[in-house]
Amino acid sequence: MKWKEQLLNLTPYQPGKSIDQVKKEYSLDKIVKLASNENPFGCSEKVLFTMNQSPSFFALYPDGYASELRSVLAGHLSIQEDQLIFGNGSDEIIQMISRALLSPETNTVMAAPTFPQYRHNAVIEGAQIREIPLVNGEHDLDGMLAAIDENTAVVWVCNPNNPTGNYIKEPALLSFLHKVPRDVLVVLDEAYYEYVVAEDYCNSLDLIQKYENLIVLRTFSKIYGLASLRVGYGIADPQTIKALEPVREPFNVNKFAQASAAAAIEDQNFIEECRRKNREGLEQFYAFCEEYGLEYYPSQGNFILINFNADSNEVFQFLLEKGFIVRSGKALGFQGYVRVTVGSKEQNDGVLDAMGQYLAKQAAAL
């Protein structure tokens, strides 16, 4: 079979070890997973009620237009229903955009390191990839602008950025969007939007009316606590949505995911509480880093990237054997760092205690 050449050396996404795997491998009774930026507080009780009440029409296809979810979400965001497109997670919308716009004749611009699925999908489509290194963990917007030419089809902007947690301030983002050619699609990935508390973070929905070449991506996988149900969405000018719809797989968001996401939107008190607890958790990590003199990136997400000045995999392994699954920075492009999801206070206390043990072990070895 004649596979695409670019697939032959492309590594598929490698999920981290599951809780059950770690329990079995290290004979541990309790595992705390702080690797995938999931919500440690789960989801709204309104979602659980909806799931229990949903009739079990397993033999029927879901609503391919996601009508109820579309209506509820459009009302919540104060936008028109035809400005929305839904995906099996925002990952699928990234795939849709790549499939619709990228080819061997085009190039795409992104930061590095950033969310790896931008690059992954560009490789599949055979597009030229122009990666612009971060500066102090932040997007080099001037460098990204300089990389755009007549063959550029898509520019990816992760805000806040994963894995650093840095965000782009409103004046810088506005200046950037003004300078990007109107025939280049800007994808503003706001997966962690609901966690942001910075006052100078831009309200991207206000920009969609002005910039027809802008699409904003958001998800129910993070603060809404619905990662297993896979619901993401894009917001853009109706003509952009219309152009993308033929790429979308039919019935791509299942019935229970649609109902759960609609219920989740109705409980903004839960979202506010999760945002507050996340900030308190980040302060726990900041205080720990300050105490031990560790460099870190202040985060507007629900994770923090910490520099241990050691082998990332070694830190990861030490914490794993203590029952805490985090993410090695080596795989993220940050050797010496680990990325940790902010958990509950109890979970944070536990992983910070384990980190302290690691640092004590390192100090004793000197």
Side-chain angles (χ1 to χ4, degrees):
M1 288 177 281
K2 297 181 180 179
W3 302 104
K4 287 183 177 180
E5 184 178 348
Q6 59 266 32
L7 294 181
L8 300 180
N9 295 312
L10 182 61
T11 303
Y13 178 77
Q14 300 293 322
K17 291 186 177 182
S18 70
I19 290 175
D20 288 339
Q21 283 178 308
V22 176
K23 279 185 177 180
K24 183 177 181 180
E25 186 173 350
Y26 296 100
S27 301
L28 296 170
D29 295 326
K30 182 180 178 181
I31 302 296
V32 177
K33 185 186 177 193
L34 299 173
S36 301
N37 304 338
E38 297 145 327
N39 188 342
F41 307 108
C43 63
S44 164
E45 291 185 1
K46 291 188 177 183
V47 172
L48 301 178
F49 177 81
T50 297
M51 291 289 285
N52 289 330
Q53 297 299 312
S54 296
S56 300
F57 293 141
F58 294 110
L60 302 180
Y61 286 107
D63 176 2
Y65 191 64
S67 302
E68 180 186 358
L69 174 57
R70 184 180 298 272
S71 176
V72 172
L73 184 56
H76 173 65
L77 299 175
S78 298
I79 60 174
Q80 301 302 310
E81 292 185 12
D82 61 359
Q83 291 182 275
L84 287 166
I85 189 168
F86 293 95
N88 188 238
S90 53
D91 285 1
E92 189 190 23
I93 304 177
I94 293 168
Q95 185 182 59
M96 291 181 207
I97 292 168
S98 300
R99 188 175 183 187
L101 289 171
L102 298 181
S103 70
E105 290 73 42
T106 65
N107 68 67
T108 182
V109 177
M110 63 194 70
T114 191
F115 187 52
Q117 289 306 104
Y118 311 147
R119 188 183 203 283
H120 185 90
N121 283 283
V123 170
I124 292 173
E125 301 303 331
Q128 182 191 38
I129 299 166
R130 298 182 176 180
E131 296 179 297
I132 310 304
L134 298 173
V135 177
N136 297 322
E138 299 182 356
H139 283 67
D140 178 3
L141 296 179
D142 289 337
M144 294 174 72
L145 285 169
I148 296 172
D149 63 19
E150 66 276 6
N151 295 319
T152 303
V154 183
V155 175
W156 307 89
V157 179
C158 190
N159 190 34
N161 188 45
N162 178 11
T164 61
N166 294 80
Y167 75 104
I168 302 170
K169 296 180 180 180
E170 182 174 17
L173 182 60
L174 292 177
S175 175
F176 175 77
L177 290 173
H178 181 70
K179 295 172 183 176
V180 174
R182 293 304 177 95
D183 62 346
V184 175
L185 182 68
V186 178
V187 182
L188 189 59
D189 189 345
E190 294 187 333
Y192 301 93
Y193 160 77
E194 290 86 0
Y195 284 110
V196 175
V197 298
E199 294 182 358
D200 54 355
Y201 185 84
C202 191
N203 183 350
S204 57
L205 300 191
D206 289 343
L207 304 177
I208 290 173
Q209 301 299 329
K210 184 176 181 181
Y211 297 100
E212 295 180 357
N213 62 326
L214 174 66
I215 183 168
V216 177
L217 306 187
R218 292 181 184 173
T219 182
F220 286 90
S221 294
K222 302 306 178 185
I223 203 168
Y224 282 99
L226 302 181
S228 68
L229 292 178
R230 313 304 298 127
V231 189
Y233 60 98
I235 315 155
D237 179 85
Q239 292 304 310
T240 299
I241 299 299
K242 184 178 180 181
L244 279 176
E245 275 290 348
V247 187
R248 182 177 64 83
E249 293 292 332
F251 314 114
N252 61 329
V253 181
N254 73 71
K255 174 183 177 64
F256 300 101
Q258 291 182 32
S260 297
I265 294 168
E266 300 293 346
D267 193 354
Q268 290 301 308
N269 288 334
F270 174 78
I271 300 304
E272 177 59 36
E273 182 71 3
C274 290
R275 179 164 47 243
R276 182 185 64 79
K277 290 178 179 178
N278 182 70
R279 296 316 301 181
E280 291 175 352
L282 279 169
E283 291 299 329
Q284 288 181 262
F285 284 97
Y286 294 164
F288 175 86
C289 292
E290 296 293 339
E291 178 182 353
Y292 285 92
L294 302 179
E295 295 179 354
Y296 65 94
Y297 288 100
S299 177
Q300 289 293 321
N302 67 332
F303 57 88
I304 182 170
L305 191 64
I306 302 174
N307 186 1
F308 280 83
N309 294 303
D311 184 287
S312 295
N313 289 345
E314 180 182 284
V315 182
F316 164 82
Q317 186 64 32
F318 182 91
L319 297 177
L320 186 67
E321 294 178 15
K322 296 292 183 180
F324 296 94
I325 309 174
V326 299
R327 192 72 188 272
S328 169
K330 187 173 183 179
L332 303 173
F334 280 89
Q335 175 60 279
Y337 289 74
V338 295
R339 192 193 67 189
V340 190
T341 303
V342 178
S344 66
K345 185 179 186 305
E346 179 184 7
Q347 291 171 337
N348 298 338
D349 285 340
V351 74
L352 290 172
D353 180 69
M355 288 178 178
Q357 293 178 45
Y358 174 79
L359 293 172
K361 176 185 174 184
Q362 292 300 99
L366 296 178

